[in-house]
Amino acid sequence: MTPVISLERISHTYAGPPPVTALHDVSLVVERGEYLAIVGPSGSGKSTLLNVIGLLDQVTIGRYLLDGVNVATLSDAERAAMRGGRIGFVFQAFHLLPYRSALENVMLAQLYRSAPRKARLAAARESLRKVGLQHRMEAMPTHLSGGERQRVAIARALANHPQLLLCDEPTGNLDSATAGTILDLLDELNNEGQTVLTITHDPLVADRAQRLVAIRDGRLTDEVGS
Amino acid sequence: MRLRRRPWLVDVEPSRLSVRDMAAEAAAGIAQRPGRSVLTTLGTVLGVGAFVAILGLTSTASGQISEQFNVLTATTVTVKTVDERGFGESRGEGPATGTEPVDSAFPPDSDARITRLNGVETAGTWRRVHFESDPVIAASPEVRPGSSTSLGGISPVFAASPGMLRAVEASVTRGTPYNGFHERRGERVAVLGATAAQHLGITRLDSRPAVFINQQAFTIVGIIGDTRQMPEMLAGVIIPRGTADRLYGPASVESSEEMLIRTRLGAAALIAGQAPTALRPEDPGLFTAVPPPDPRTLREKVNQDLTGLFLVLAAICLTIGTLGIANTTFVAVLERRAEIGLRRSLGARPRHIAAQFLAESTSLGLLGGMVGTCLAIATVVGVAVVQDWTAVLEPVAVLPAPLIGALTGLIAGLYPALRAARIEPQKALRQ
């Protein structure tokens, strides 16, 4: 079975001036169904790694296979489609549209795929049910708690049944009790077979993962099995 | 290892955004800040509104001009003698008392010559009779000093052919108008205008009263109460043309003769061309016939005068409106950087982002254009109601007006949309 992510000796250099190399010779394989955490302090290159994995940035050297596809061979349009369809992003700041209901926010996930509105609605409902928000579908984000908002964001990330759930500090804006419930949800999704990759500086968040990878100065320093 | 020819392509369908979804997103974008959207469209509302209102008001106003240009003037042709060739000039000065027929520019049978033309209803000649000094007009031969009815320098005595009384549609309230018999024989009869009759104290005709002009008696055959044209006749004494010729001499430089022709509707221009030849086939250049002005040229002139300036003002409003939309859209792009990043993470391509913001600004412009057009129509109709006019709105000007608003919105959105498309998602998402 092809791994979800396969990074083969990648480097990433920001053109500058002065040119800054944020990732040095990084290799990483994430298998299907894995729950992986990448931990590192700020400035360690973890944001760059997230951008590369999330197809928001391109590698300078090396090869990146997402779902078995060498992303360097893709056109911009295909890359955008892969980003939307195979990766589900979960952000620290949730990034919900403030004037749209929870359901409409989740429906946004399939806006740029040729899905008909009815199918989008059904997928969004199912997704919200999965994160336990079936009773809050019509609520506006301003009327949702922080935890509920992140659940909506996770529902949005799941709507396209992505190969990879890519979480960037998913609990950074939440208190520890709420953070626990969100991490429980991620555990639960992983138990159902969802591949989860979390990037964080918080050891508590990292501890939930099956596998832990530390990043420092643009290099993956150690890999700790759990 | 075999070189793979991107076999996954079947799987990776490029992102796309249907027009319907784009419109829905644009509508949602506008609706989420209704107050701001309303303010943003204000400039376009004013610009498009001014544009439509100006065109509407000018067409309405010129519509009224063609309304005033009614049947009466549309059927009137005036024939004048060319001044420098006036016959009277060559014949010496002074009131001629001779009875022998003398040449006038208008032949004696002018009325008949013109009435014969197809399209003429009635025609007649008239002139003010010239006196050396102000004539004394009285109801009796014995004139007490100071009882003159002189109207100053203008002679109140009109020499008019019988056809003239019909041409001005004089309504005879007492007695009858004089006719061709009086005209041919130069009978000393007169028709009084209502005002003159009142002034002279003549109210009844059954006692066969007379009016005395410089002690010469004229039998009053009728009194006219009203005319549709030349109301000055109401204050005068009107005598047959033949009588005037016999007693005071024919038309001269001091009392030039004119002809008034009443035509059937639409025949005025034709008759104006034919009348000089009909009057004097041997010398038609003696006359100039003045047809009624063409309503179309009149309207165009008014349009040009008014529209030019106001359209410039409307263009200025539109420019301000465009800048307003551009400004708001630009601010919205900066405010919604995170949203742009999110949409990119959901598979949107830069062109989808640009299209969305363009659709929003275009919709704002279209909205403003529609509101402006509605307000302008209301204004034009309102003005028309107040002025008791008929509102005239050209569909050619009104129907595309909202599209002008949409166009300004589209232009306004170009730069912000480009900026939005260039926003890098990874930076926008880290906010």
Side-chain angles (χ1 to χ4, degrees), chain A residues 51 56-57 68-69 73-74 77-78 80-81 83-84 86 89 91 95 97 99-100 111-112 114 120 156, chain B residues 4 6 8-9 11 13 15-16 21 25 28 32-33 339 342-344 346-349 426 429-430:
Chain A
N51 290 341
L56 295 170
D57 218 334
V69 176
T73 64
L74 297 177
E78 288 163 345
R83 188 192 304 140
R86 307 212 182 177
F89 287 88
F91 308 99
H95 289 318
L97 299 195
Y99 300 94
R100 314 271 182 104
L111 180 65
Y112 300 98
S114 35
R120 265 190 266 159
R156 182 181 61 200
Chain B
R4 290 201 295 177
R6 308 208 295 174
W8 55 84
L9 265 188
D11 227 8
E13 223 180 296
S15 309
R16 57 172 185 230
D21 286 336
E25 288 299 303
Q32 68 187 23
R33 303 295 291 268
E339 177 188 331
L342 171 80
R343 286 176 184 275
R344 294 291 298 277
L346 293 174
R349 298 168 63 189
Q426 67 270 33
L429 285 167
R430 212 169 297 138

Side-chain angles (χ1 to χ4, degrees), chain B residues 3 9 20 32 61-62 120 128 172 189 197 292 320 340 348 359 414 429:
Chain B
L3 204 75
L9 265 188
R20 207 180 133 199
Q32 68 187 23
S62 55
V120 173
R128 287 177 187 273
V172 180
V189 292
I320 295 170
I340 293 166
L414 281 177
L429 285 167

Side-chain angles (χ1 to χ4, degrees), chain B residues 13-83:
Chain B
E13 223 180 296
S15 309
R16 57 172 185 230
L17 180 63
S18 72
V19 174
R20 207 180 133 199
D21 286 336
M22 185 178 77
E25 288 299 303
I30 291 169
Q32 68 187 23
R33 303 295 291 268
R36 182 194 282 186
S37 299
V38 166
L39 283 178
T40 307
T41 54
L42 217 56
T44 321
V45 169
L46 288 177
V48 174
F51 181 76
V52 174
I54 287 156
L55 291 182
L57 286 175
T58 29
S59 62
T60 300
S62 55
Q64 306 326 302
I65 288 165
S66 41
E67 193 131 297
Q68 285 164 3
F69 181 86
N70 54 18
V71 178
L72 185 69
T73 41
T75 56
T76 305
V77 175
T78 312
V79 183
K80 294 177 179 168
T81 49
V82 177
D83 279 347

